[in-house]
Amino acid sequence: MSSENKYQDAIFVGEESPYELKHFVIPDHYTDDVDKLLIPHGVVIDRIEKLAREITRNYSDRLVVCCVLKGGHQFFADLVSCMKKLPNREGKSLPIDHDFIRVKSYENTASTGNVQISMTEEELCNLEGRDVLIVEDIIDTGRTMEALVALLKKYKLRSVKVASLFVKRTPLSNGFYPDYVGFSIPDTFVIGYCLDYNDVFRDLDHVCSISSVGIKKYMSKNKTPS
Ligand code: HPA
Ligand code: MG
């Protein structure tokens, strides 16, 4: 896919937000920490309902939906909650199994990624022959997800697909593009809807960019942002 075409399925979120913060409820404890409101919570929910429709009708057999923690948990919860009520390819209900993983990436070189995942060898072997949908919050460089998919493919799954709520338009992208995408977002650090900055802001419902005050206030003393 060309770099322009690949964003066609996602809602394009521009650099300039059409929304004013004063029109939305931002928790008092984050008033100074938010810069722009990029996507209101209600729009996120509507988009997930549509993704759930598209995903559910592409499957017929029992599906494993695998949540990448921590950031993917809210997307996973809202997505699965919709999918449970929707018909599969044959117009029947779709049985859904839940799985949860933590993923850590580390790079040997600038261009290749490797991942460490929290699943045991036995758990990975149990995925043989299954349809698996990985649910991720955001694809940024794409390195972690590319390496995770490559690792899972070694375990002879019937299919492995990726749903990411956000894809960042960044020059650092390795070209990885998920099978299902909610929003294409600008190259800025986003928080809210479970996306964090140093584990803060997961309790903010709207998707926002962080202010310089927020960056400074929650700067980690001993770790990098997750
Ligand atoms: N926000 C939160 N987590 C992230 C981001 C972001 O913009 N990019 C990669 N992980
Ligand atoms: Mg993530």
Side-chain angles (χ1 to χ4, degrees), residues 138 140 168 188-190 195-196 226:
I138 185 165
D140 196 315
K168 200 178 274 192
T188 186
F189 199 83
V190 294
L195 278 89
D196 71 305
S226 60

